[in-house]
Amino acid sequence: MPKIIVIGASGTIGSAVADLLAANAEVVRVGNRRGDDTLDMEHKPSIEALCQRLGTFDALVCAAGASRFGTVLEASDEDFRVGIAGKLMGQVNLVRIALRYIPSGGSITLTTGLLGRQPAPGTAPTALVNAALEGFVRAAALDLGPKVRINAVSPIFVTATADKMGLPVAGTMSAAETAKAYRASVYGKMTGQVLDVRDYGRVEG
């Protein structure tokens, strides 16, 4: 049975991903504050320590990493720093370190977001991070070749989050449906791809 590490497993999407993958794998759930283990993605030593504790694993899925909204005129240095340090470099460092622990044939799945390709007004910090991650995944796949596959999943607004915020749920996707794209990345043959969740799950009408 493969051993899969899910980072962000206490979150809405990460929890659904871990539940789905657990049907056919040993899943280690890693969260910021709770789970089978914990991790601070902004600090590289924390990533190093986590991988040393967990040892060899077959796949890594990251569904974590904070970023902020804001217009290019109003967003602060801190608004940009949060996304760059957490969601961008946190995931980049996860890849760089995890590669020492993933055998040939393994896979890595990161999380970007629709705003990287379809930005909206007031989303500059998050759009920057998502677009950078997509470029990183494509380039990393060229470096890694067939040894270890690397992809990213691009979620849309999650139904539970929209409902909690009192927003319309039409055009959103449940966390369970979103998780199907992550499963496809883990068990598929693609590499260097950005998987749009709408190609794998049902959008709320």
Side-chain angles (χ1 to χ4, degrees):
M1 182 173 286
K3 179 179 179 181
I4 303 176
I5 312 303
V6 178
I7 309 293
S10 58
T12 302
I13 292 177
S15 177
V17 171
D19 288 345
L20 183 62
L21 295 177
N24 302 104
E26 174 194 352
V27 173
V28 180
R29 301 172 187 245
V30 179
N32 186 42
R33 296 184 179 85
R34 64 183 188 275
D36 300 321
D37 212 319
T38 57
L39 170 70
D40 183 349
M41 284 181 57
E42 287 196 19
H43 295 281
K44 193 175 177 181
S46 179
I47 300 172
E48 294 266 14
L50 173 73
C51 289
Q52 289 174 5
R53 290 194 299 271
L54 298 180
T56 303
F57 44 89
D58 301 289
L60 171 71
V61 175
C62 183
S67 63
R68 293 182 177 178
F69 289 167
T71 71
V72 70
L73 297 172
E74 298 174 348
S76 66
D77 287 354
E78 180 64 9
D79 291 330
F80 282 98
R81 187 206 68 80
V82 166
I84 292 170
K87 188 171 185 180
L88 177 55
M89 288 310 301
Q91 292 193 88
V92 168
N93 285 329
L94 274 171
V95 172
R96 296 168 66 203
I97 295 168
L99 285 170
R100 305 174 204 160
Y101 299 86
I102 299 178
S104 181
S107 74
I108 298 173
T109 304
L110 305 183
T111 296
T112 61
L114 187 62
L115 294 173
R117 284 164 291 128
Q118 298 179 25
T123 64
T126 295
L128 179 153
V129 167
N130 288 346
L133 280 166
E134 293 187 7
F136 170 74
V137 164
R138 294 187 180 102
L142 298 177
D143 293 334
L144 296 174
K147 181 180 178 182
V148 176
R149 295 182 303 102
I150 180 169
N151 299 293
V153 171
S154 179
I156 61 174
F157 208 23
V158 177
T159 305
T161 303
D163 189 54
K164 185 176 180 180
M165 296 174 65
L167 299 173
V169 299
T172 65
M173 183 179 287
S174 71
E177 290 291 302
T178 300
K180 293 178 180 179
Y182 289 85
R183 180 177 61 186
S185 175
V186 170
Y187 291 114
K189 295 182 179 180
M190 71 287 281
T191 190
Q193 301 299 308
V194 178
L195 281 62
D196 188 323
V197 295
R198 293 170 294 188
D199 294 332
Y200 298 89
R202 181 178 61 84
V203 178
E204 295 291 336

mmCIF file of all heavy atoms in Angstrom, residues 68-77 79-80 119-128:
data_model
loop_
_atom_site.group_PDB
_atom_site.id
_atom_site.type_symbol
_atom_site.label_atom_id
_atom_site.label_comp_id
_atom_site.label_asym_id
_atom_site.label_seq_id
_atom_site.Cartn_x
_atom_site.Cartn_y
_atom_site.Cartn_z
ATOM 1 N N ARG A 68 -2.964 36.301 0.145
ATOM 2 C CA ARG A 68 -3.918 37.371 0.424
ATOM 3 C C ARG A 68 -4.389 38.055 -0.847
ATOM 4 O O ARG A 68 -3.726 38.009 -1.880
ATOM 5 C CB ARG A 68 -3.277 38.418 1.346
ATOM 6 C CG ARG A 68 -2.986 37.913 2.749
ATOM 7 C CD ARG A 68 -2.391 39.015 3.604
ATOM 8 N NE ARG A 68 -2.165 38.571 4.978
ATOM 9 C CZ ARG A 68 -1.612 39.339 5.916
ATOM 10 N NH1 ARG A 68 -1.237 40.582 5.633
ATOM 11 N NH2 ARG A 68 -1.432 38.858 7.134
ATOM 12 N N PHE A 69 -5.532 38.727 -0.736
ATOM 13 C CA PHE A 69 -6.054 39.527 -1.825
ATOM 14 C C PHE A 69 -5.597 40.978 -1.635
ATOM 15 O O PHE A 69 -5.083 41.359 -0.600
ATOM 16 C CB PHE A 69 -7.573 39.473 -1.863
ATOM 17 C CG PHE A 69 -8.121 38.138 -2.303
ATOM 18 C CD1 PHE A 69 -9.465 37.838 -2.134
ATOM 19 C CD2 PHE A 69 -7.310 37.193 -2.895
ATOM 20 C CE1 PHE A 69 -9.982 36.617 -2.545
ATOM 21 C CE2 PHE A 69 -7.806 35.964 -3.317
ATOM 22 C CZ PHE A 69 -9.150 35.686 -3.136
ATOM 23 N N GLY A 70 -5.825 41.777 -2.674
ATOM 24 C CA GLY A 70 -5.489 43.198 -2.612
ATOM 25 C C GLY A 70 -5.206 43.712 -4.006
ATOM 26 O O GLY A 70 -4.732 42.975 -4.867
ATOM 27 N N THR A 71 -5.482 44.983 -4.244
ATOM 28 C CA THR A 71 -5.171 45.571 -5.543
ATOM 29 C C THR A 71 -3.692 45.911 -5.598
ATOM 30 O O THR A 71 -3.025 46.047 -4.575
ATOM 31 C CB THR A 71 -5.976 46.854 -5.796
ATOM 32 O OG1 THR A 71 -5.475 47.897 -4.942
ATOM 33 C CG2 THR A 71 -7.467 46.639 -5.515
ATOM 34 N N VAL A 72 -3.175 46.073 -6.810
ATOM 35 C CA VAL A 72 -1.766 46.419 -6.969
ATOM 36 C C VAL A 72 -1.478 47.791 -6.364
ATOM 37 O O VAL A 72 -0.335 48.093 -5.995
ATOM 38 C CB VAL A 72 -1.381 46.376 -8.466
ATOM 39 C CG1 VAL A 72 -2.019 47.512 -9.240
ATOM 40 C CG2 VAL A 72 0.133 46.378 -8.624
ATOM 41 N N LEU A 73 -2.506 48.627 -6.238
ATOM 42 C CA LEU A 73 -2.337 49.958 -5.660
ATOM 43 C C LEU A 73 -2.370 49.937 -4.132
ATOM 44 O O LEU A 73 -1.723 50.774 -3.493
ATOM 45 C CB LEU A 73 -3.441 50.901 -6.172
ATOM 46 C CG LEU A 73 -3.446 51.163 -7.678
ATOM 47 C CD1 LEU A 73 -4.707 51.937 -8.065
ATOM 48 C CD2 LEU A 73 -2.198 51.934 -8.087
ATOM 49 N N GLU A 74 -3.102 48.984 -3.568
ATOM 50 C CA GLU A 74 -3.335 49.008 -2.121
ATOM 51 C C GLU A 74 -2.668 47.884 -1.352
ATOM 52 O O GLU A 74 -2.461 47.987 -0.137
ATOM 53 C CB GLU A 74 -4.844 48.979 -1.846
ATOM 54 C CG GLU A 74 -5.588 50.182 -2.410
ATOM 55 C CD GLU A 74 -7.100 50.037 -2.252
ATOM 56 O OE1 GLU A 74 -7.562 48.933 -1.922
ATOM 57 O OE2 GLU A 74 -7.797 51.035 -2.480
ATOM 58 N N ALA A 75 -2.319 46.778 -1.983
ATOM 59 C CA ALA A 75 -1.730 45.653 -1.277
ATOM 60 C C ALA A 75 -0.389 46.055 -0.656
ATOM 61 O O ALA A 75 0.429 46.728 -1.295
ATOM 62 C CB ALA A 75 -1.534 44.469 -2.224
ATOM 63 N N SER A 76 -0.180 45.642 0.575
ATOM 64 C CA SER A 76 1.041 45.998 1.305
ATOM 65 C C SER A 76 2.153 45.000 1.018
ATOM 66 O O SER A 76 1.926 43.928 0.434
ATOM 67 C CB SER A 76 0.757 46.017 2.803
ATOM 68 O OG SER A 76 0.452 44.707 3.262
ATOM 69 N N ASP A 77 3.357 45.338 1.447
ATOM 70 C CA ASP A 77 4.464 44.396 1.351
ATOM 71 C C ASP A 77 4.126 43.094 2.067
ATOM 72 O O ASP A 77 4.463 42.004 1.606
ATOM 73 C CB ASP A 77 5.733 44.986 1.975
ATOM 74 C CG ASP A 77 6.349 46.088 1.120
ATOM 75 O OD1 ASP A 77 5.872 46.317 -0.007
ATOM 76 O OD2 ASP A 77 7.315 46.725 1.610
ATOM 77 N N ASP A 79 1.149 41.811 2.511
ATOM 78 C CA ASP A 79 0.179 41.049 1.722
ATOM 79 C C ASP A 79 0.895 40.191 0.677
ATOM 80 O O ASP A 79 0.531 39.034 0.462
ATOM 81 C CB ASP A 79 -0.805 41.996 1.017
ATOM 82 C CG ASP A 79 -1.750 42.688 1.982
ATOM 83 O OD1 ASP A 79 -2.058 42.098 3.032
ATOM 84 O OD2 ASP A 79 -2.176 43.818 1.673
ATOM 85 N N PHE A 80 1.913 40.742 0.049
ATOM 86 C CA PHE A 80 2.685 39.972 -0.926
ATOM 87 C C PHE A 80 3.578 38.943 -0.233
ATOM 88 O O PHE A 80 3.714 37.807 -0.689
ATOM 89 C CB PHE A 80 3.524 40.898 -1.800
ATOM 90 C CG PHE A 80 2.737 41.587 -2.882
ATOM 91 C CD1 PHE A 80 2.273 42.878 -2.708
ATOM 92 C CD2 PHE A 80 2.460 40.940 -4.076
ATOM 93 C CE1 PHE A 80 1.542 43.518 -3.706
ATOM 94 C CE2 PHE A 80 1.732 41.565 -5.082
ATOM 95 C CZ PHE A 80 1.271 42.864 -4.897
ATOM 96 N N PRO A 119 -7.171 36.058 -13.474
ATOM 97 C CA PRO A 119 -7.215 36.965 -12.322
ATOM 98 C C PRO A 119 -8.445 37.862 -12.353
ATOM 99 O O PRO A 119 -9.043 38.088 -13.408
ATOM 100 C CB PRO A 119 -5.930 37.782 -12.473
ATOM 101 C CG PRO A 119 -5.624 37.738 -13.936
ATOM 102 C CD PRO A 119 -6.071 36.372 -14.399
ATOM 103 N N ALA A 120 -8.787 38.343 -11.180
ATOM 104 C CA ALA A 120 -9.893 39.289 -11.034
ATOM 105 C C ALA A 120 -9.345 40.539 -10.360
ATOM 106 O O ALA A 120 -8.278 40.504 -9.740
ATOM 107 C CB ALA A 120 -11.006 38.669 -10.186
ATOM 108 N N PRO A 121 -10.042 41.649 -10.469
ATOM 109 C CA PRO A 121 -9.578 42.857 -9.778
ATOM 110 C C PRO A 121 -9.410 42.597 -8.285
ATOM 111 O O PRO A 121 -10.222 41.901 -7.667
ATOM 112 C CB PRO A 121 -10.703 43.865 -10.050
ATOM 113 C CG PRO A 121 -11.338 43.399 -11.318
ATOM 114 C CD PRO A 121 -11.273 41.902 -11.254
ATOM 115 N N GLY A 122 -8.356 43.116 -7.714
ATOM 116 C CA GLY A 122 -8.140 42.981 -6.280
ATOM 117 C C GLY A 122 -7.504 41.680 -5.853
ATOM 118 O O GLY A 122 -7.576 41.304 -4.687
ATOM 119 N N THR A 123 -6.868 40.987 -6.785
ATOM 120 C CA THR A 123 -6.281 39.680 -6.454
ATOM 121 C C THR A 123 -4.791 39.601 -6.778
ATOM 122 O O THR A 123 -4.235 38.514 -6.875
ATOM 123 C CB THR A 123 -7.006 38.545 -7.203
ATOM 124 O OG1 THR A 123 -6.808 38.715 -8.622
ATOM 125 C CG2 THR A 123 -8.495 38.538 -6.897
ATOM 126 N N ALA A 124 -4.123 40.725 -6.921
ATOM 127 C CA ALA A 124 -2.738 40.740 -7.401
ATOM 128 C C ALA A 124 -1.795 39.828 -6.612
ATOM 129 O O ALA A 124 -1.037 39.065 -7.221
ATOM 130 C CB ALA A 124 -2.202 42.176 -7.416
ATOM 131 N N PRO A 125 -1.789 39.856 -5.262
ATOM 132 C CA PRO A 125 -0.835 38.999 -4.544
ATOM 133 C C PRO A 125 -1.062 37.509 -4.791
ATOM 134 O O PRO A 125 -0.105 36.754 -4.968
ATOM 135 C CB PRO A 125 -1.081 39.362 -3.065
ATOM 136 C CG PRO A 125 -1.644 40.743 -3.099
ATOM 137 C CD PRO A 125 -2.496 40.770 -4.323
ATOM 138 N N THR A 126 -2.319 37.082 -4.822
ATOM 139 C CA THR A 126 -2.619 35.671 -5.029
ATOM 140 C C THR A 126 -2.384 35.266 -6.484
ATOM 141 O O THR A 126 -1.867 34.178 -6.759
ATOM 142 C CB THR A 126 -4.075 35.372 -4.623
ATOM 143 O OG1 THR A 126 -4.208 35.577 -3.217
ATOM 144 C CG2 THR A 126 -4.453 33.936 -4.940
ATOM 145 N N ALA A 127 -2.739 36.124 -7.426
ATOM 146 C CA ALA A 127 -2.518 35.827 -8.837
ATOM 147 C C ALA A 127 -1.032 35.640 -9.115
ATOM 148 O O ALA A 127 -0.630 34.739 -9.862
ATOM 149 C CB ALA A 127 -3.088 36.942 -9.708
ATOM 150 N N LEU A 128 -0.202 36.472 -8.518
ATOM 151 C CA LEU A 128 1.247 36.368 -8.683
ATOM 152 C C LEU A 128 1.748 35.006 -8.214
ATOM 153 O O LEU A 128 2.496 34.322 -8.906
ATOM 154 C CB LEU A 128 1.934 37.496 -7.904
ATOM 155 C CG LEU A 128 3.456 37.565 -7.905
ATOM 156 C CD1 LEU A 128 3.917 38.998 -7.691
ATOM 157 C CD2 LEU A 128 4.067 36.683 -6.809
#
